[in-house]
């Protein structure tokens, strides 16, 4: 949200440092540009009078004034904070004012032009879509001459407003031609009226030696009143009891590894509530703990995941693969006892569908390390408790390092 004091429009942007440490200066700059777009009215106020909320299409009277809006559509999905306040993700993936943050972003001319419908006077327009990186580079070469105006701003003025949007990372295939020629705008930008790109403190830059290895939310499967399957002796625990201990061991170990771990239960909130609480904590990944039971004969290790959101680049499948590999080494699974990773994007009612179908764009895996009703597996579950908890943490840390490298290489 934004507010006006005198002739100045103010807006408030908050950064989650746990997320910020993996952003480069350029990624932070592009995030601020996106938020400035909202402060200028993109998605709020007069914006809501421009289009039909049922279809996301702009009214003909608005199109008559800005013909470029005929090809545009407003996002109608992804819930509060994204719905109604961005360009449609499917149609305009990678545009700076869609609801997900991309590795490569571009700006459409209409994103600039629509500002006139929001009450602003345009000084410059774009003739064609442009990569955001080049626009930033061009502007960064110019001299900012309005220091006097900045000195007059009331930088301490703040109105506490409700958070309207949380930026979600997205690394889908780009819809723009990366080989398309880029037009140099430097000659058309007036050097006396542009801004230099601000400096981000070095402590916020992406580094290999982060103060934290990342953040992992652990959800304990089942509840105290409905504790799930019960393992046979010598383990003799219900799933809920066993995994409560595993989660505590994992958190204690993680603290010494520079990793943040928070534990969530389904006792009061149910499945969706537990996942909502975990997502509100904004972890890098979510892991739900269970163990299997069948006919007393089955044994093995498997992990459930969903690649429904792989197009957003959250690397959920990769997390499942890393964890499965490590757990199979720990439990010495070979052949059919390595039950693999199983994608749960199928029909509603399928095991794990509700758990893994939470649309938070956070990687979620559901771990089934052994069969508690199998004598050999139950013994392993008892003997390897501490090592199992440590393996979950180490698997997550390795996956996080791999993700950070992917982000850096991109």
């Amino acid at each position: 949200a934004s507010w006006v004091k005198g002739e100045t429009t103010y807006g408030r942007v908050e950064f989650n440092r746990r997320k910020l440490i993996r952003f480069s200066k350029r990624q932070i700059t592009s995030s601020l540009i996106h938020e400035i777009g909202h402060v200028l009215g993109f998605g709020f106020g007069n914006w809501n009078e421009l289009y039909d909320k049922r279809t996301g299409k702009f009214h003909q009277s608005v199109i008559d004034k800005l013909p470029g809006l005929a090809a545009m559509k407003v996002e109608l999905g992804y819930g509060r904070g994204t719905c109604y306040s961005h360009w449609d993700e499917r149609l305009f993936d990678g545009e700076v004012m869609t609801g997900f943050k991309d590795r490569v972003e571009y700006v459409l001319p209409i994103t600039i032009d629509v500002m006139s419908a929001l009450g602003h006077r345009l000084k410059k327009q774009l003739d064609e879509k442009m990569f955001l990186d080049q626009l930033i580079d061009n502007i960064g070469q110019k001299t900012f001459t309005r220091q006097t105006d900045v000195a007059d701003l009331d930088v301490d003025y703040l109105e506490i407003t409700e958070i309207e949007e949380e930026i979600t990372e997205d690394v889908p295939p780009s819809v723009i031609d990366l080989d398309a020629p880029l037009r140099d705008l430097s000659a058309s930008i007036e050097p006396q009226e542009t801004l230099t790109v601000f400096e981000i403190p070095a402590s916020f830059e992406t580094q290999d030696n982060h103060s934290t290895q990342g953040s992992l939310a652990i959800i304990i499967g089942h509840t105290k009143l409905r504790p799930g399957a019960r393992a046979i002796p010598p383990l003799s625990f219900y799933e809920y009891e066993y995994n409560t201990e595993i989660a505590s061991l994992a958190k204690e170990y993680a603290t010494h590894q520079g990793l943040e771990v928070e534990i969530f239960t389904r006792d009061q909130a149910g499945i969706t509530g537990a996942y909502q609480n975990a997502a509100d904590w904004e972890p890098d990944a979510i892991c739900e703990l269970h163990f299997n039971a069948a006919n007393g004969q089955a044994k093995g290790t498997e992990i459930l995941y969903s690649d429904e959101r792989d197009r957003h680049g959250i690397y959920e499948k990769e997390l499942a693969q890393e964890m499965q590999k490590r757990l199979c080494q720990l439990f010495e699974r070979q052949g059919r006892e390595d039950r693999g990773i199983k994608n749960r994007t199928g029909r509603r009612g399928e095991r794990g569908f509700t758990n893994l179908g939470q649309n938070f764009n956070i990687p979620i895996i559901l771990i089934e390390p052994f069969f508690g009703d199998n004598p050999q597996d139950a013994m392993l579950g008892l003997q390897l408790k501490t090592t199992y908890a440590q393996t979950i943490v180490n698997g997550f840390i390795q996956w996080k390092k791999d993700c950070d490298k992917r982000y850096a290489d991109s």
Side-chain angles (χ1 to χ4, degrees):
S2 61
W3 59 93
V4 177
K5 180 182 180 183
E7 296 182 353
T8 303
T9 300
Y10 290 82
R12 180 168 64 109
V13 178
E14 294 182 354
F15 280 110
N16 182 328
R17 179 166 181 145
R18 190 166 62 241
K19 296 288 187 181
L20 194 65
I21 58 175
R22 75 183 185 190
F23 277 22
S24 66
K25 290 182 179 181
R26 182 57 57 88
Q27 288 173 316
I28 297 172
T29 302
S30 65
S31 297
L32 278 175
I33 289 172
H34 175 98
E35 295 305 326
I36 288 171
H38 287 313
V39 170
L40 292 174
F42 197 107
F44 305 99
N46 293 340
W47 167 269
N48 293 315
E49 305 300 321
L50 305 180
Y51 67 96
D52 185 336
K53 284 193 172 183
R54 296 171 301 172
T55 65
K57 292 291 188 178
F58 287 85
H59 299 309
Q60 187 59 48
S61 59
V62 181
I63 293 174
D64 291 341
K65 296 177 181 178
L66 291 172
L69 289 175
M72 305 306 292
K73 183 182 177 184
V74 175
E75 178 60 66
L76 300 180
Y78 300 104
R80 181 180 175 278
T82 302
C83 181
Y84 301 136
S85 56
H86 299 87
W87 296 133
D88 184 271
E89 173 72 17
R90 184 178 62 84
L91 297 176
F92 307 107
D93 178 19
E95 216 281 339
V96 69
M97 292 310 298
T98 55
F100 294 90
K101 185 166 184 59
D102 296 83
R103 295 174 185 168
V104 178
E105 296 180 314
Y106 63 97
V107 183
L108 289 172
I110 192 61
T111 298
I112 306 300
D113 294 342
V114 78
M115 291 297 166
S116 63
L118 302 176
H120 303 288
R121 180 173 58 86
L122 302 184
K123 189 165 187 180
K124 292 292 177 184
Q125 296 173 280
L126 290 180
D127 295 331
E128 58 190 5
K129 69 183 179 187
M130 295 284 298
F131 285 140
L132 184 60
D133 277 357
Q134 184 173 1
L135 291 173
I136 292 174
D137 287 340
N138 290 340
I139 293 174
Q141 297 168 4
K142 308 305 174 182
T143 302
F144 179 51
T145 61
R146 300 184 63 183
Q147 285 88 352
T148 302
D149 294 334
V150 171
D152 292 336
L153 294 177
D154 184 358
V155 295
D156 295 322
Y157 179 63
L158 174 66
E159 291 186 12
I160 302 300
T161 58
E162 184 179 1
I163 294 176
E164 298 286 353
E165 175 193 33
E166 295 183 13
I167 290 181
T168 305
E169 289 182 78
D170 178 20
V171 207
S174 179
V175 298
I176 110 176
D177 183 2
L178 298 181
D179 297 322
L182 295 173
R183 179 168 170 263
D184 186 358
L185 291 187
S186 57
S188 63
I189 299 178
E190 295 182 13
Q192 298 302 309
E193 296 297 339
T194 53
L195 307 178
T196 56
V197 177
F198 66 91
E199 288 295 319
I200 304 298
S203 61
F204 285 129
E205 292 187 52
T206 301
Q207 302 172 0
D208 291 334
N209 57 340
H210 292 162
S211 58
T212 174
Q213 296 272 16
S215 53
L216 173 66
I218 296 179
I219 294 178
I220 298 170
H222 303 287
T223 67
K224 186 177 295 186
L225 295 178
R226 302 184 68 181
R230 182 169 185 173
I232 63 174
L235 188 56
S236 302
F237 280 115
Y238 285 102
E239 287 182 73
Y240 181 86
E241 297 171 311
Y242 178 80
N243 288 310
T244 296
E245 184 174 354
I246 295 299
S248 297
L249 290 169
K251 183 171 183 176
E252 181 180 1
Y253 175 71
T255 301
H256 298 292
Q257 303 301 312
L259 174 68
E260 293 181 276
V261 167
E262 199 65 45
I263 301 170
F264 299 86
T265 72
R266 292 158 41 176
D267 288 297
Q268 303 299 325
I271 294 176
T272 56
Y275 274 94
Q276 182 64 64
N277 292 336
D280 289 344
W281 186 62
E282 297 189 342
D284 292 303
I286 299 174
C287 171
E288 184 169 349
L289 304 182
H290 288 258
F291 63 68
N292 255 321
N295 54 14
Q297 302 299 315
K299 59 190 302 188
T301 299
E302 65 186 15
I303 291 179
L304 310 184
Y305 76 103
S306 165
D307 65 1
E308 181 75 17
R309 297 176 297 280
D310 257 14
R311 70 187 188 90
H312 296 314
I314 64 173
Y315 302 121
E316 184 169 271
K317 182 178 180 180
E318 289 78 1
L319 176 59
Q321 289 172 328
E322 180 66 34
M323 205 69 75
Q324 178 72 6
K325 177 184 71 175
R326 288 172 177 266
L327 291 178
C328 284
Q329 290 173 351
L330 174 65
F331 289 97
E332 298 183 349
R333 304 302 193 189
Q334 296 180 355
R336 292 185 178 181
E337 291 183 13
D338 178 355
R339 298 168 65 90
I341 62 173
K342 298 182 178 180
N343 180 14
R344 286 295 181 260
T345 58
R347 59 188 179 277
R348 190 171 300 277
E350 192 174 42
R351 183 168 65 101
F353 179 89
T354 301
N355 314 57
L356 299 164
Q358 307 299 312
N359 189 25
F360 297 122
N361 292 310
I362 298 173
I364 301 170
I365 61 171
L366 192 154
I367 298 178
E368 302 269 20
F370 58 84
F371 280 75
D373 61 345
N374 178 288
Q376 291 80 24
D377 266 19
M379 178 64 77
L380 288 174
L382 179 64
Q383 293 176 335
L384 299 176
K385 279 194 302 184
T386 300
T387 314
Y388 167 43
Q390 294 174 351
T391 300
I392 293 172
V393 173
N394 291 334
F396 168 81
I397 290 175
Q398 184 58 56
W399 168 82
K400 179 66 164 53
K401 287 179 179 178
D402 292 342
C403 285
D404 287 346
K405 186 176 186 304
R406 289 188 184 98
Y407 288 127
D409 291 344
S410 66

